[in-house]
Amino acid sequence: MADVTKKLKLGIPKGSLQDATIALFERAGWRIFANGRSYFPTIDDSEIECMLVRAQEMARYVEHGALDAGLTGNDWVLENQTDVEYITSLTYSKQSRQKVRWVLAVPEDSPFQKPEDLAGKTIATELVEFTKRYFAEKKIPVTVEFSWGATEVKPPTLADAIVEVTETGSSLKANRLRIIETLMESETQLIANKSAVKDQWKRNKIENIALMLNAAIAAQGRVGLMLNARKADLDKVLGVLPALNSPTVSQLSDAAWVALNTILDESLVRDVIPKLKAVGATGIVEYPLSKVVV
């Protein structure tokens, strides 16, 4: 039974990542229930206590010990220069399963082609401290202003350029902006308080969460495939299968036949199954995956 005296204080990012994070936890085996007005969602694990915290502030609260662990982008860890333990990277975001980029963007019709062209100009961004350090390292004098939102609409009237986060670049293009430099790539991180990870129970709990979250991410877009084949056709069947790892091959009761079990990208199934059938495979079954531990 769970020891109800032990609690892991876990920060869930409030805002754009909230729904994607809660969905990821559900695929990993935890159900989180967030009331619209409460900052303390419930979770079906008596050993975890959740709190909704803005991603921008998460690392600070983890560093100070108000939270034992939390999920936030490494961009905000770098922005705040916080001293936390990185547990694992989790490549998911509100729209896709790819990293986001913080980019320097200018109006399409502006003369600016590189960061040096912005000397003496004004940059609007939410990532103020990192942007200041970036230009300082390049010895380019600029004014960096904090943007409270709608950053894409500020050039050229309210700022000469912006530093903004993007997944696809579509919002920038829609606002007639072009990218001239990528300042950093970022992805979600599970981070922990450095004192918390010295507690063996908390460290085990955090690492188990990391394992299951990664397993849920690894399963996305993949399916399992089971099939039977004659031993005589095995080499041809193996030549068709693009496996995550080598397929598992098991002997059937009929000595002339084997069973195969493998994992592959779902997008490949429509091409692979007809090829398997053509080389003699039978009893082909596709099944969904909820977690893949690699």
Side-chain angles (χ1 to χ4, degrees):
M1 294 180 62
D3 185 345
V4 295
T5 64
K6 292 184 180 293
K7 289 280 187 182
L8 182 79
K9 295 175 290 184
L10 179 66
I12 303 296
K14 182 174 176 61
S16 61
L17 267 181
Q18 180 176 326
D19 289 344
T21 301
I22 290 174
L24 175 61
F25 268 84
E26 183 164 359
R27 292 196 303 274
W30 286 274
R31 297 194 70 188
I32 298 174
F33 305 91
N35 182 305
R37 294 187 177 184
S38 174
Y39 282 82
F40 298 93
T42 59
I43 184 170
D44 61 347
D45 186 331
S46 62
E47 296 178 342
I48 299 176
E49 184 179 279
C50 291
M51 183 177 182
L52 290 174
V53 176
R54 285 177 59 83
Q56 294 90 329
E57 301 176 294
M58 186 74 73
R60 183 158 49 90
Y61 291 126
V62 171
E63 179 186 32
H64 295 163
L67 296 168
D68 296 313
L71 291 90
T72 188
N74 61 285
D75 45 4
W76 298 115
V77 178
L78 295 173
E79 167 71 0
N80 294 296
Q81 293 186 301
T82 42
D83 185 21
V84 295
E85 185 92 2
Y86 283 90
I87 303 299
T88 188
S89 298
L90 300 164
T91 307
Y92 75 99
S93 56
K94 62 183 179 180
Q95 293 181 14
S96 64
R97 288 187 293 135
Q98 62 185 20
K99 295 180 181 181
V100 298
R101 294 183 297 150
W102 282 92
V103 298
L104 179 62
V106 297
E108 286 179 347
D109 58 358
S110 75
F112 310 123
Q113 300 296 326
K114 56 186 184 298
E116 288 76 9
D117 296 337
L118 291 164
K121 304 300 182 182
T122 298
I123 316 292
T125 184
E126 191 177 357
L127 199 74
V128 172
E129 297 306 319
F130 184 89
T131 301
K132 286 180 178 178
R133 294 195 299 270
Y134 173 84
F135 279 97
E137 288 170 5
K138 289 181 171 289
K139 295 181 171 56
I140 303 170
V142 296
T143 300
V144 180
E145 295 183 345
F146 179 74
S147 174
W148 289 93
T151 307
E152 296 98 327
V153 304
K154 295 190 173 177
T157 307
L158 302 177
D160 298 293
I162 63 170
V163 170
E164 180 66 328
V165 66
T166 182
E167 288 187 43
T168 65
S170 58
S171 180
L172 294 172
K173 290 179 182 177
N175 286 282
R176 299 185 177 181
L177 298 171
R178 57 181 166 83
I179 297 169
I180 62 173
E181 185 86 337
T182 296
L183 274 65
M184 77 157 106
E185 287 189 330
S186 180
E187 60 187 331
T188 305
Q189 304 283 334
L190 176 59
I191 59 172
N193 174 270
K194 290 201 165 181
S195 295
V197 294
K198 293 176 182 177
D199 179 302
Q200 192 59 52
W201 181 88
K202 288 183 178 181
R203 184 171 192 93
N204 288 342
K205 189 70 176 179
I206 294 168
E207 289 179 345
N208 287 343
I209 292 171
L211 173 70
M212 298 307 290
L213 292 177
N214 276 307
I217 291 172
Q220 287 183 272
R222 292 188 171 122
V223 296
L225 209 62
M226 297 187 296
L227 57 129
N228 298 331
R230 293 182 183 86
K231 282 185 177 179
D233 298 325
L234 183 57
D235 287 343
K236 289 185 289 185
V237 169
L238 292 175
V240 169
L241 289 173
L244 178 64
N245 291 302
S246 298
T248 300
V249 180
S250 307
Q251 179 65 55
L252 293 178
S253 56
D254 184 332
W257 287 78
V258 292
L260 292 89
N261 202 329
T262 192
I263 296 171
L264 68 161
D265 289 341
E266 188 174 14
S267 60
L268 301 176
V269 172
R270 65 186 184 189
D271 296 321
V272 169
I273 288 180
K275 291 177 181 178
L276 289 170
K277 187 69 175 175
V279 295
T282 63
I284 303 169
V285 177
E286 176 190 343
Y287 56 92
L289 302 172
S290 59
K291 301 170 191 68
V292 174
V293 179
V294 294

